[in-house]
Amino acid sequence: MFLQLFGLIALIIKTIVLSTIYTTIIFIGLYLILKKTKNIWLENRMKYKIKNWLFLHFVISLGLFAFSFSYWQDTGLGDNPQLPIGYGQIIYSPDFAWTNFYPDLEKTRLNKDELQIGNFIVKDNFLCAEVSHQNTNSPTFNFIVCNLTTKINRTFDTEKDYAEYTRKNNLPFKNQFYNSDKHYDEYFANKPKWRRWLLP
C-alpha cells in the first residue's frame, strides 16, 4: 500500500512538472506569435497571463494524468504492477508475489475468475502460459494458450500435449517462457526514450 501511494505521488509530481514545462512553452510560443501578428484576441488574452497560464496548466495536468491511466500507459502503481498485452487484456502481478490473468477473455477486471500463471510469453496475439498450482483452487491443466484476437482458449494437461500443439501452430515452446518481472522490465526497455521523458 505504501509503495502504491509513493508511486501515485511520484506520478502526480511528474505530471505537474511536465505540465509546467508544456504550459510555459505554449505561452512563449503565443507571445512570439503576438509579437509577429499583433492579433487582437491574443493580445486580450495576454492581459491575463497568470490566470490563463494557471488555467492551461490545470487542463494539461488533467490531460496528462488521465493519459497515464490509459490502456497502454497504465502499468500499475508501486507493488501492484500490471502489463497490457493487447486487445484490452492485462497481466496482473499483485505484490510481485504471483501473476494473474483472465481465462475468460471478455472480462477485464479482477474477479474470482482470474487464473494464476507462472512463466509466459505473448507472440502473434497469442498468450502462451504455464499454469501455476500454488492456489488451492487452481485448475487441473498445466498449460493454456489464449488467442487474444478471437478470445478462444485451449488448455493442455501435459507439456507433451502443449509441445505438439505449438509445433503445428508455430508458437513458442515452454523453454521460451519467462517470468512477469522480466516481461515488465522488457516493456519499459522497449518504450522510446522520448515517451519515458515526455509523458507521465
Side-chain angles (χ1 to χ4, degrees):
M1 185 66 181
F2 173 76
L3 287 176
Q4 284 179 285
L5 182 61
F6 179 79
L8 180 61
I9 291 170
L11 174 62
I12 291 171
I13 291 171
K14 185 177 181 182
T15 299
I16 291 171
V17 169
L18 288 174
S19 181
T20 301
I21 293 169
Y22 296 154
T23 305
T24 303
I25 290 171
I26 289 170
F27 260 73
I28 290 171
L30 291 175
Y31 180 76
L32 293 174
I33 291 170
L34 178 61
K35 285 285 189 184
K36 292 275 187 183
T37 64
K38 304 295 183 184
N39 183 283
I40 301 298
W41 181 87
L42 203 51
E43 190 173 351
N44 289 334
R45 298 287 73 75
M46 285 301 185
K47 288 178 183 176
Y48 307 97
K49 290 185 187 74
I50 294 175
K51 186 178 177 180
N52 287 321
W53 189 92
L54 289 172
F55 175 74
L56 185 59
H57 188 283
F58 176 73
V59 170
I60 292 174
S61 293
L62 277 183
L64 288 173
F65 190 72
F67 177 72
S68 70
F69 290 98
S70 61
Y71 176 69
W72 286 108
Q73 195 69 12
D74 185 8
T75 51
L77 292 170
D79 53 357
N80 281 292
Q82 60 186 44
L83 188 66
I85 58 172
Y87 294 91
Q89 301 303 318
I90 294 172
I91 297 287
Y92 298 89
S93 186
D95 300 322
F96 293 101
W98 56 83
T99 305
N100 287 343
F101 176 71
Y102 298 109
D104 182 346
L105 298 179
E106 296 295 338
K107 294 182 179 177
T108 55
R109 296 184 67 82
L110 280 174
N111 54 61
K112 63 184 177 62
D113 300 317
E114 76 255 19
L115 175 70
Q116 282 190 18
I117 59 175
N119 293 341
F120 66 94
I121 195 166
V122 179
K123 182 187 176 188
D124 299 331
N125 300 324
F126 285 87
L127 166 70
C128 304
E130 190 173 10
V131 176
S132 170
H133 295 289
Q134 292 179 340
N135 190 324
T136 54
N137 295 322
S138 66
T140 56
F141 56 87
N142 289 301
F143 293 88
I144 187 167
V145 174
C146 303
N147 186 327
L148 302 175
T149 311
T150 63
K151 300 187 184 301
I152 295 172
N153 300 326
R154 288 188 63 101
T155 60
F156 305 90
D157 292 333
T158 67
E159 185 177 347
K160 182 181 177 182
D161 293 338
Y162 171 75
E164 188 177 329
Y165 181 78
T166 57
R167 269 192 293 271
K168 289 177 182 175
N169 294 278
N170 194 29
L171 291 172
F173 290 97
K174 178 189 171 185
N175 61 5
Q176 294 174 269
F177 297 1
Y178 47 96
N179 64 31
S180 58
D181 290 351
K182 186 175 177 183
H183 280 284
Y184 195 71
D185 293 340
E186 195 177 70
Y187 183 78
F188 281 101
N190 289 335
K191 272 191 174 183
K193 285 186 179 179
W194 69 266
R195 285 181 69 97
R196 282 182 260 169
W197 284 100
L198 302 180
L199 293 172

